[in-house]
């Protein structure tokens, strides 16, 4: 919401309370360094003659509203935020459900007094009165996008706001103040700078204030709220307003409110210590979604980040498991994001110098249908580019194992980090499987000539009880993505993608042939000890050692056929590769059967 008036910043604040005798008293509060013309201003003229009863049958007329006290020591909250509560006082939203529903249904627009009278029929305490007024305004007054442009059509008078059903922040705040005053609650309209519509990261604030909001006095303390922002939002072009209730701006904790509201009078920050305008300008803008999703803090705290050697890092802490994604200039290609139990970590490697917009999105882990909400925005200033950190296009965020992969059944990973570095082009990744799942893995690399099927043969799965090992032999140096999929063993359907690793190998000498081709009769708990290479040397005797169970006979078929013998759970023997292009391993599952099944196939080098 943008403020309209061009009043000087040091201005007086007028409060109009009512007493039960119907006398109107106007009191002015002046900043310390100005003196008011008290004699002229303190007028005891007759106010409204008959004031409506504003509570149930037990109401004895109005309570007297005392002149608002300026904030003092008891009103102040510690800064920075202590991460305890989003509100400045204990509020049980469930207890408000009936009152909220009632307030939404009240339909009075002929007079502010009648509206307040109707709203307060269900409100007993001051907190309930404020809540009823807040809910009604947030759901019935829309932001006036036309009036914002053409100020001549605009009135902020409470009765005009009520009857037109629209206004800008000034009108929201004046209506709120007026309704509280009728209800006998001390309330102030405050003004200042805001990081609202049109705010640019890192901008400075000068000149007149641009927004208005309120402070209310409840249970012996001042509290802050913003009914303009509680009611909804405008689109980027400021042509359309959408009602979208936002609980965050009701009695917001002052250490969070200062994130995007900077009052003209620093006492109304309600903070100890108070922030300077420079602090406000430099501080990171956390959107209300950030706190409503249970996120606690983000590093760095400055909104503009400089890369160091081509890299910038961001981390977020949160209470509960949360899913994150990011966009750097609209894409998630140039980063490595890892999920942590209480947050996430992101390393960014822009591939162009200059300024880049970085957005962080989040959603609760339990809400599969929920959409990702933008929670943070940074500007990343990049001076140099780290070309070595150009990631394969198949890399999917987040990278590496996390609480999310644990939920899918992948426990105790041998590599908890997202990147696996290998010098010789070989690595091995192990997990304990916490569920009865089948696993599928594939290897991807940009501009690789390998098909997906061929690249799968560079991964070998070995199962030992509930442990799984993925042996990887890279076909060449470079950056690879190891994608891991899973499905329930009882499921006939497709495998679901679970997560991926980045595997890097800089050694250009590394060149590994694929593992032998495995056929469907090769059971998942069988194991090849040798030969691991799917490409056998020509004209050589090759030693075989295989671990298989429940088998009656094993043959290796080259130009001739060789029998393997069983000893201590292993089938062993040799075969000669002369005169053949392929070598097959075959098994008899039953000694009485004459037919056998192919389980492995090797290629033989051409001479």
């Amino acid at each position: 919401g943008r403020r309209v008036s061009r009043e000087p910043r040091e201005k007086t604040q007028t409060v109009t309370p009512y007493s039960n005798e119907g006398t109107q008293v106007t009191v002015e509060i002046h900043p310390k360094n100005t003196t008011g013309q008290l004699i002229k201003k303190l007028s005891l003229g007759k106010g409204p003659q008959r004031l409506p009863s504003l509570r149930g049958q037990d109401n004895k007329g109005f309570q007297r509203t005392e002149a608002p006290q300026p904030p003092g020591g008891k009103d102040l909250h510690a800064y920075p935020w202590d991460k305890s509560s989003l509100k400045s006082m204990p509020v049980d939203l469930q207890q408000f459900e009936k009152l909220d529903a009632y307030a939404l249904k009240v339909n009075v627009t002929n007079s502010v007094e009648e509206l307040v009278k109707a709203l307060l029929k269900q409100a007993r305490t001051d907190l309930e009165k404020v809540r009823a007024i807040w809910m009604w305004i947030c759901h019935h007054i829309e932001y006036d996008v036309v009036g914002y442009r053409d100020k001549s059509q605009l009135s902020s008078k409470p009765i005009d706001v009520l009857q037109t059903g629209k206004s800008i922040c000034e009108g929201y705040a004046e209506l709120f103040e007026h309704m509280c005053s009728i209800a006998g609650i001390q309330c102030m309209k405050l003004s200042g700078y805001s990081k609202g519509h049109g705010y640019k990261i890192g901008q400075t604030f000068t000149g007149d204030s641009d927004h208005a909001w309120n402070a209310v006095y409840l249970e012996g303390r001042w509290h802050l709220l913003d009914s303009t922002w509680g009611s909804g939002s405008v689109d980027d072009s400021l042509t359309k307003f959408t009602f979208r209730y936002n609980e965050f701006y009701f009695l917001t904790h002052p250490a969070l409110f200062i994130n995007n509201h900077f009052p003209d009078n620093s006492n109304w920050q309600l903070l100890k210590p108070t922030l300077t305008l420079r602090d406000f300008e430099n501080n990171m803008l956390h959107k209300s979604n950030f706190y409503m999703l249970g996120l606690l803090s983000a590093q760095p705290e400055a909104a503009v980040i400089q890369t160091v050697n081509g890299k910038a890092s961001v981390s977020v802490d949160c209470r509960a498991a949360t899913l994150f994604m990011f966009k750097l200039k609209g894409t998630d290609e140039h980063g490595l994001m890892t999920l942590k139990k209480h947050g996430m970590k992101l390393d960014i490697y822009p591939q162009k110098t200059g300024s880049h917009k970085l957005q962080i999105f989040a959603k609760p882990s339990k809400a599969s249908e929920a959409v990702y909400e933008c929670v943070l925005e940074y500007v990343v200033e990049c001076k140099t580019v780290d070309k070595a950190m150009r990631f394969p296009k198949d890399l999917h965020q987040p990278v590496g194992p996390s609480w999310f992969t644990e939920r899918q059944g992948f426990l105790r990973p041998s590599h908890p980090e997202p990147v696996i570095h290998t010098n010789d082009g070989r690595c091995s990744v192990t997990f304990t499987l916490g569920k009865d799942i089948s696993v599928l893995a594939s290897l991807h690399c940009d501009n690789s000539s390998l098909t997906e099927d061929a690249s799968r043969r560079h991964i070998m799965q070995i199962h030992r009880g509930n442990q799984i090992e993925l042996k990887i032999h890279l076909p060449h140096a470079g950056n690879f993505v190891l994608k891991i999929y899973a499905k329930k063993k009882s499921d006939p359907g497709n495998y679901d993608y679970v997560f991926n690793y980045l595997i890097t190998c800089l050694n250009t000498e590394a060149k590994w042939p694929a593992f032998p081709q495995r056929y469907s009769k090769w059971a998942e708990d069988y194991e090849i000890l040798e030969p691991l290479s799917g490409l056998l040397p020509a004209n050589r005797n090759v030693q075989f050692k295989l671990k298989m169970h429940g088998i009656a006979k094993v043959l290796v078929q080259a130009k001739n056929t060789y029998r393997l013998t069983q000893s201590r759970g292993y089938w062993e023997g040799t075969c000669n590769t002369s005169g053949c292009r392929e070598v097959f391993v075959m098994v008899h599952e039953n000694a009485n059967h004459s037919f056998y099944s192919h389980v492995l196939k090797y290629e033989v080098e051409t001479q």
Side-chain angles (χ1 to χ4, degrees):
R2 297 273 139 166
R3 199 176 144 72
V4 181
S5 72
R6 288 274 173 262
E7 304 164 42
R9 308 256 324 258
E10 279 294 4
K11 63 182 195 307
T12 57
Q13 288 163 318
T14 306
V15 182
T16 309
Y18 294 92
S19 68
N20 12 8
E21 291 81 2
T23 303
Q24 183 173 335
V25 182
T26 303
V27 179
E28 285 204 344
I29 296 166
H30 291 264
K32 278 184 187 166
N33 54 358
T34 65
T35 52
Q37 296 162 302
L38 291 180
I39 297 136
K40 282 188 196 166
K41 290 281 187 182
L42 193 59
S43 58
L44 292 168
K46 278 289 181 193
Q49 292 309 301
R50 190 187 59 77
L51 292 167
S53 164
L54 291 191
R55 279 163 78 185
Q57 297 310 306
D58 59 342
N59 196 4
K60 306 286 183 288
F62 272 117
Q63 307 141 282
R64 188 183 299 275
T65 312
E66 306 198 353
Q69 299 290 319
K74 67 182 182 341
D75 298 296
L76 305 184
H77 295 256
Y79 183 87
W81 184 48
D82 62 7
K83 302 182 182 177
S84 58
S85 165
L86 301 184
K87 305 280 188 201
S88 52
M89 66 186 282
V91 170
D92 180 353
L93 294 178
Q94 283 181 316
Q95 289 194 340
F96 284 146
E97 279 176 6
K98 267 186 164 159
L99 178 65
D100 288 353
Y102 170 77
L104 297 195
K105 290 199 189 86
V106 170
N107 184 18
V108 176
T109 53
N110 58 330
S111 101
V112 183
E113 283 78 7
E114 290 298 319
L115 170 60
V116 175
K117 180 181 175 181
L119 282 173
L120 298 202
K121 278 183 181 154
Q122 297 289 320
R124 290 278 172 270
T125 65
D126 281 359
L127 173 59
E128 287 174 354
K129 293 177 186 181
V130 168
R131 179 70 178 188
I133 292 168
W134 158 267
M135 284 308 274
W136 193 91
I137 290 179
C138 286
H139 289 86
H140 292 85
I141 306 298
E142 65 175 286
Y143 192 82
D144 187 351
V145 289
V146 176
Y148 173 74
R149 285 208 172 72
D150 179 4
K151 307 292 192 279
S152 65
Q153 303 300 308
L154 199 62
S155 164
S156 300
K157 285 187 185 151
I159 186 61
D160 295 337
V161 175
L162 177 62
Q163 290 180 343
T164 59
K166 56 176 66 172
S167 188
I168 61 169
C169 58
E170 190 82 17
Y172 279 89
E174 289 197 12
L175 179 60
F176 200 97
E177 182 185 43
H178 187 48
M179 289 174 75
C180 282
S181 136
I182 295 169
I185 288 163
Q186 292 186 45
C187 177
M188 301 284 285
K189 186 186 85 179
L190 305 175
S191 56
Y193 293 134
S194 69
K195 292 182 180 177
H197 184 273
Y199 167 71
K200 299 269 187 298
I201 292 173
Q203 79 174 55
T204 55
F205 291 87
T206 53
D208 295 338
S209 50
D210 61 25
H211 191 45
W213 57 92
N214 296 97
V216 287
Y217 197 72
L218 291 170
E219 298 183 14
R221 238 180 153 178
W222 283 105
H223 303 271
L224 301 168
L225 44 78
D226 184 342
S227 57
T228 312
W229 290 8
S231 64
S233 56
V234 292
D235 61 350
D236 288 343
S237 59
L238 224 152
T239 51
K240 181 170 177 283
F241 169 81
T242 307
F243 274 112
R244 188 182 179 194
Y245 176 67
N246 193 337
E247 177 61 45
F248 181 73
Y249 292 107
F250 179 69
L251 310 184
T252 316
H253 193 293
L256 302 181
F257 204 73
I258 193 66
N259 186 37
N260 45 18
H261 293 74
F262 188 82
D264 292 339
N265 177 339
S266 63
N267 290 338
W268 285 109
Q269 292 180 22
L270 305 185
L271 290 176
K272 186 179 181 181
T274 54
L275 275 70
T276 64
L277 181 58
R278 182 54 40 84
D279 295 332
F280 176 72
E281 288 169 345
N282 292 341
N283 277 358
M284 182 68 219
L285 171 61
H286 293 133
K287 296 175 181 286
S288 59
N289 294 331
F290 183 92
Y291 297 108
M292 296 300 272
L293 283 166
L295 310 188
L296 297 170
S297 63
Q299 297 294 335
E301 287 177 350
V304 180
I305 316 173
Q306 312 289 338
T307 57
V308 177
N309 300 327
K311 170 183 169 183
S313 297
V314 171
S315 63
V316 177
D317 291 324
C318 55
R319 288 187 205 283
T322 305
L323 293 168
F324 291 89
M325 58 181 272
F326 74 92
K327 292 264 185 272
L328 182 73
K329 272 202 162 167
T331 157
D332 68 357
E333 288 167 21
H334 307 302
L336 271 184
M337 186 177 77
T338 48
L339 293 181
K340 307 285 179 201
K341 193 151 221 138
H342 296 292
M344 73 90 170
K345 185 172 187 302
L346 170 63
D347 293 330
I348 289 285
Y349 302 89
Q351 292 299 302
K352 281 188 180 151
T353 56
S355 282
H356 305 266
K357 179 162 140 184
L358 171 63
Q359 295 169 294
I360 313 281
F361 302 83
K363 74 172 185 176
S365 67
K366 300 253 189 317
S368 53
E369 299 307 305
V371 291
Y372 280 94
E373 304 265 11
C374 183
V375 291
L376 284 174
E377 281 187 17
Y378 287 97
V379 170
V380 179
E381 302 275 5
C382 180
K383 301 264 190 319
T384 58
V385 170
D386 183 351
K387 292 284 185 211
M389 298 307 280
R390 185 170 278 163
F391 301 122
K393 61 179 187 305
D394 280 311
L395 189 68
H396 194 78
Q397 308 290 344
V399 185
S402 66
W403 57 264
F404 178 78
T405 55
E406 273 187 17
R407 279 188 194 176
Q408 313 299 312
F410 291 84
L411 313 178
R412 294 190 276 286
S414 57
H415 294 69
E417 294 302 315
V419 185
I420 299 170
H421 299 279
T422 162
N423 281 329
D424 67 357
R426 294 183 296 181
C427 61
S428 162
V429 185
T430 60
F431 302 94
T432 301
L433 296 181
K435 293 179 173 179
D436 198 21
I437 50 177
S438 298
V439 176
L440 188 68
S442 59
L443 208 54
H444 306 259
C445 177
D446 289 354
N447 51 40
S448 174
S449 53
L450 288 183
T451 64
E452 190 164 326
D453 273 353
S455 75
R456 276 217 178 98
R457 286 189 45 209
H458 284 267
I459 305 167
M460 187 163 68
Q461 277 191 42
I462 302 161
H463 290 255
R464 302 180 186 96
N466 62 351
Q467 282 241 312
I468 179 173
E469 179 186 357
L470 300 175
K471 265 192 202 303
I472 294 129
H473 286 185
L474 297 179
H476 51 77
N479 286 341
F480 289 81
V481 180
L482 172 66
K483 289 197 172 188
I484 298 174
Y485 303 81
K487 73 178 182 74
K488 278 191 192 143
K489 280 191 177 157
S490 54
D491 262 10
N494 293 333
Y495 284 83
D496 290 326
Y497 168 79
V498 183
F499 69 116
N500 56 187
Y501 280 102
L502 177 66
I503 301 178
T504 67
C505 176
L506 300 174
N507 178 2
T508 51
E509 304 289 304
K511 240 187 194 91
W512 292 94
F515 292 107
Q517 190 171 337
R518 297 165 299 280
Y519 291 108
S520 59
K521 286 284 183 186
W522 179 265
E524 68 173 23
D525 54 354
Y526 291 179
E527 193 176 333
I528 305 170
L529 283 90
E530 55 182 344
L532 277 176
S533 169
L535 187 63
L536 303 179
N539 305 321
R540 290 275 178 83
N541 282 333
V542 176
Q543 182 72 29
F544 276 77
K545 185 175 184 182
L546 307 171
K547 187 177 180 182
M548 297 187 283
H549 56 82
I551 299 294
K553 195 188 221 181
V554 181
L555 303 175
V556 177
Q557 183 185 25
K559 188 176 179 189
N560 300 318
T561 301
Y562 303 84
R563 279 188 68 164
L564 302 187
T565 54
Q566 192 175 18
S567 128
R568 296 191 303 280
Y570 296 102
W571 292 88
E572 299 180 73
T574 54
C575 98
N576 188 285
T577 59
S578 305
C580 66
R581 303 288 304 279
E582 295 172 329
V583 172
F584 294 93
V585 177
M586 304 174 301
V587 298
H588 280 272
E589 290 173 50
N590 186 319
N592 301 325
H593 288 177
S594 56
F595 60 87
Y596 48 80
S597 310
H598 286 74
V599 287
L600 296 173
K601 174 186 168 187
Y602 290 84
E603 313 274 329
V604 178
E605 285 176 346
T606 49
Q607 291 151 35

PDB file of all heavy atoms in Angstrom, residues 509-521:
ATOM      1  N   GLU A 509      42.894 -39.378 -18.298  1.00  0.00           N
ATOM      2  CA  GLU A 509      43.333 -40.769 -18.565  1.00  0.00           C
ATOM      3  C   GLU A 509      42.227 -41.764 -18.198  1.00  0.00           C
ATOM      4  O   GLU A 509      42.258 -42.908 -18.641  1.00  0.00           O
ATOM      5  CB  GLU A 509      44.574 -41.110 -17.716  1.00  0.00           C
ATOM      6  CG  GLU A 509      45.748 -40.172 -17.912  1.00  0.00           C
ATOM      7  CD  GLU A 509      46.392 -40.375 -19.270  1.00  0.00           C
ATOM      8  OE1 GLU A 509      46.795 -41.518 -19.562  1.00  0.00           O
ATOM      9  OE2 GLU A 509      46.438 -39.403 -20.044  1.00  0.00           O
ATOM     10  N   ALA A 510      41.274 -41.335 -17.353  1.00  0.00           N
ATOM     11  CA  ALA A 510      40.245 -42.266 -16.861  1.00  0.00           C
ATOM     12  C   ALA A 510      39.313 -42.656 -18.008  1.00  0.00           C
ATOM     13  O   ALA A 510      38.684 -41.791 -18.620  1.00  0.00           O
ATOM     14  CB  ALA A 510      39.451 -41.605 -15.740  1.00  0.00           C
ATOM     15  N   LYS A 511      39.258 -43.957 -18.289  1.00  0.00           N
ATOM     16  CA  LYS A 511      38.387 -44.463 -19.371  1.00  0.00           C
ATOM     17  C   LYS A 511      38.053 -45.897 -19.034  1.00  0.00           C
ATOM     18  O   LYS A 511      38.903 -46.762 -19.192  1.00  0.00           O
ATOM     19  CB  LYS A 511      39.178 -44.426 -20.688  1.00  0.00           C
ATOM     20  CG  LYS A 511      38.552 -43.554 -21.758  1.00  0.00           C
ATOM     21  CD  LYS A 511      39.306 -43.725 -23.081  1.00  0.00           C
ATOM     22  CE  LYS A 511      38.952 -42.653 -24.055  1.00  0.00           C
ATOM     23  NZ  LYS A 511      39.783 -41.455 -24.036  1.00  0.00           N
ATOM     24  N   TRP A 512      36.862 -46.128 -18.560  1.00  0.00           N
ATOM     25  CA  TRP A 512      36.500 -47.478 -18.131  1.00  0.00           C
ATOM     26  C   TRP A 512      35.459 -48.067 -19.076  1.00  0.00           C
ATOM     27  O   TRP A 512      34.506 -47.395 -19.454  1.00  0.00           O
ATOM     28  CB  TRP A 512      35.949 -47.463 -16.706  1.00  0.00           C
ATOM     29  CG  TRP A 512      37.011 -47.121 -15.709  1.00  0.00           C
ATOM     30  CD1 TRP A 512      37.304 -45.905 -15.212  1.00  0.00           C
ATOM     31  CD2 TRP A 512      37.948 -48.026 -15.144  1.00  0.00           C
ATOM     32  NE1 TRP A 512      38.367 -45.974 -14.355  1.00  0.00           N
ATOM     33  CE2 TRP A 512      38.787 -47.275 -14.282  1.00  0.00           C
ATOM     34  CE3 TRP A 512      38.191 -49.402 -15.269  1.00  0.00           C
ATOM     35  CZ2 TRP A 512      39.834 -47.847 -13.547  1.00  0.00           C
ATOM     36  CZ3 TRP A 512      39.212 -49.971 -14.538  1.00  0.00           C
ATOM     37  CH2 TRP A 512      40.033 -49.199 -13.693  1.00  0.00           C
ATOM     38  N   PRO A 513      35.670 -49.347 -19.441  1.00  0.00           N
ATOM     39  CA  PRO A 513      34.624 -50.014 -20.236  1.00  0.00           C
ATOM     40  C   PRO A 513      33.399 -50.268 -19.360  1.00  0.00           C
ATOM     41  O   PRO A 513      33.476 -50.182 -18.134  1.00  0.00           O
ATOM     42  CB  PRO A 513      35.276 -51.326 -20.662  1.00  0.00           C
ATOM     43  CG  PRO A 513      36.346 -51.579 -19.650  1.00  0.00           C
ATOM     44  CD  PRO A 513      36.808 -50.239 -19.154  1.00  0.00           C
ATOM     45  N   ALA A 514      32.286 -50.583 -20.000  1.00  0.00           N
ATOM     46  CA  ALA A 514      31.052 -50.886 -19.261  1.00  0.00           C
ATOM     47  C   ALA A 514      31.212 -52.212 -18.524  1.00  0.00           C
ATOM     48  O   ALA A 514      32.097 -53.022 -18.828  1.00  0.00           O
ATOM     49  CB  ALA A 514      29.894 -50.948 -20.235  1.00  0.00           C
ATOM     50  N   PHE A 515      30.345 -52.429 -17.545  1.00  0.00           N
ATOM     51  CA  PHE A 515      30.263 -53.735 -16.890  1.00  0.00           C
ATOM     52  C   PHE A 515      29.610 -54.707 -17.882  1.00  0.00           C
ATOM     53  O   PHE A 515      28.984 -54.289 -18.858  1.00  0.00           O
ATOM     54  CB  PHE A 515      29.416 -53.633 -15.619  1.00  0.00           C
ATOM     55  CG  PHE A 515      30.051 -52.816 -14.531  1.00  0.00           C
ATOM     56  CD1 PHE A 515      29.570 -51.546 -14.208  1.00  0.00           C
ATOM     57  CD2 PHE A 515      31.138 -53.309 -13.824  1.00  0.00           C
ATOM     58  CE1 PHE A 515      30.155 -50.783 -13.209  1.00  0.00           C
ATOM     59  CE2 PHE A 515      31.740 -52.547 -12.810  1.00  0.00           C
ATOM     60  CZ  PHE A 515      31.249 -51.289 -12.511  1.00  0.00           C
ATOM     61  N   PRO A 516      29.751 -56.031 -17.626  1.00  0.00           N
ATOM     62  CA  PRO A 516      29.072 -56.980 -18.533  1.00  0.00           C
ATOM     63  C   PRO A 516      27.560 -56.761 -18.548  1.00  0.00           C
ATOM     64  O   PRO A 516      26.997 -56.243 -17.582  1.00  0.00           O
ATOM     65  CB  PRO A 516      29.426 -58.347 -17.945  1.00  0.00           C
ATOM     66  CG  PRO A 516      29.931 -58.081 -16.568  1.00  0.00           C
ATOM     67  CD  PRO A 516      30.502 -56.711 -16.568  1.00  0.00           C
ATOM     68  N   GLN A 517      26.951 -57.155 -19.654  1.00  0.00           N
ATOM     69  CA  GLN A 517      25.486 -57.005 -19.755  1.00  0.00           C
ATOM     70  C   GLN A 517      24.821 -58.083 -18.911  1.00  0.00           C
ATOM     71  O   GLN A 517      25.182 -59.259 -18.990  1.00  0.00           O
ATOM     72  CB  GLN A 517      25.071 -57.146 -21.217  1.00  0.00           C
ATOM     73  CG  GLN A 517      23.636 -56.774 -21.441  1.00  0.00           C
ATOM     74  CD  GLN A 517      23.310 -56.717 -22.931  1.00  0.00           C
ATOM     75  OE1 GLN A 517      24.197 -56.542 -23.754  1.00  0.00           O
ATOM     76  NE2 GLN A 517      22.066 -56.881 -23.261  1.00  0.00           N
ATOM     77  N   ARG A 518      23.851 -57.661 -18.081  1.00  0.00           N
ATOM     78  CA  ARG A 518      23.175 -58.622 -17.205  1.00  0.00           C
ATOM     79  C   ARG A 518      21.774 -58.891 -17.747  1.00  0.00           C
ATOM     80  O   ARG A 518      21.046 -57.963 -18.082  1.00  0.00           O
ATOM     81  CB  ARG A 518      23.127 -58.070 -15.779  1.00  0.00           C
ATOM     82  CG  ARG A 518      24.517 -57.905 -15.229  1.00  0.00           C
ATOM     83  CD  ARG A 518      24.689 -57.065 -13.991  1.00  0.00           C
ATOM     84  NE  ARG A 518      24.315 -55.679 -14.005  1.00  0.00           N
ATOM     85  CZ  ARG A 518      25.047 -54.677 -14.518  1.00  0.00           C
ATOM     86  NH1 ARG A 518      26.190 -54.932 -15.150  1.00  0.00           N
ATOM     87  NH2 ARG A 518      24.639 -53.444 -14.446  1.00  0.00           N
ATOM     88  N   TYR A 519      21.404 -60.168 -17.792  1.00  0.00           N
ATOM     89  CA  TYR A 519      20.071 -60.537 -18.292  1.00  0.00           C
ATOM     90  C   TYR A 519      19.110 -60.681 -17.114  1.00  0.00           C
ATOM     91  O   TYR A 519      19.508 -60.669 -15.953  1.00  0.00           O
ATOM     92  CB  TYR A 519      20.152 -61.841 -19.087  1.00  0.00           C
ATOM     93  CG  TYR A 519      20.904 -61.697 -20.397  1.00  0.00           C
ATOM     94  CD1 TYR A 519      22.175 -62.259 -20.562  1.00  0.00           C
ATOM     95  CD2 TYR A 519      20.344 -60.981 -21.458  1.00  0.00           C
ATOM     96  CE1 TYR A 519      22.863 -62.124 -21.758  1.00  0.00           C
ATOM     97  CE2 TYR A 519      21.032 -60.844 -22.662  1.00  0.00           C
ATOM     98  CZ  TYR A 519      22.292 -61.414 -22.805  1.00  0.00           C
ATOM     99  OH  TYR A 519      22.965 -61.267 -23.994  1.00  0.00           O
ATOM    100  N   SER A 520      17.840 -60.859 -17.434  1.00  0.00           N
ATOM    101  CA  SER A 520      16.810 -60.829 -16.386  1.00  0.00           C
ATOM    102  C   SER A 520      16.982 -61.968 -15.378  1.00  0.00           C
ATOM    103  O   SER A 520      16.548 -61.845 -14.238  1.00  0.00           O
ATOM    104  CB  SER A 520      15.421 -60.909 -17.011  1.00  0.00           C
ATOM    105  OG  SER A 520      15.309 -62.095 -17.761  1.00  0.00           O
ATOM    106  N   LYS A 521      17.627 -63.059 -15.776  1.00  0.00           N
ATOM    107  CA  LYS A 521      17.806 -64.180 -14.831  1.00  0.00           C
ATOM    108  C   LYS A 521      18.935 -63.902 -13.837  1.00  0.00           C
ATOM    109  O   LYS A 521      19.166 -64.684 -12.925  1.00  0.00           O
ATOM    110  CB  LYS A 521      18.117 -65.480 -15.590  1.00  0.00           C
ATOM    111  CG  LYS A 521      16.916 -66.081 -16.293  1.00  0.00           C
ATOM    112  CD  LYS A 521      15.986 -66.771 -15.303  1.00  0.00           C
ATOM    113  CE  LYS A 521      14.823 -67.438 -16.021  1.00  0.00           C
ATOM    114  NZ  LYS A 521      13.852 -67.985 -15.059  1.00  0.00           N
TER     115      LYS A 521
END
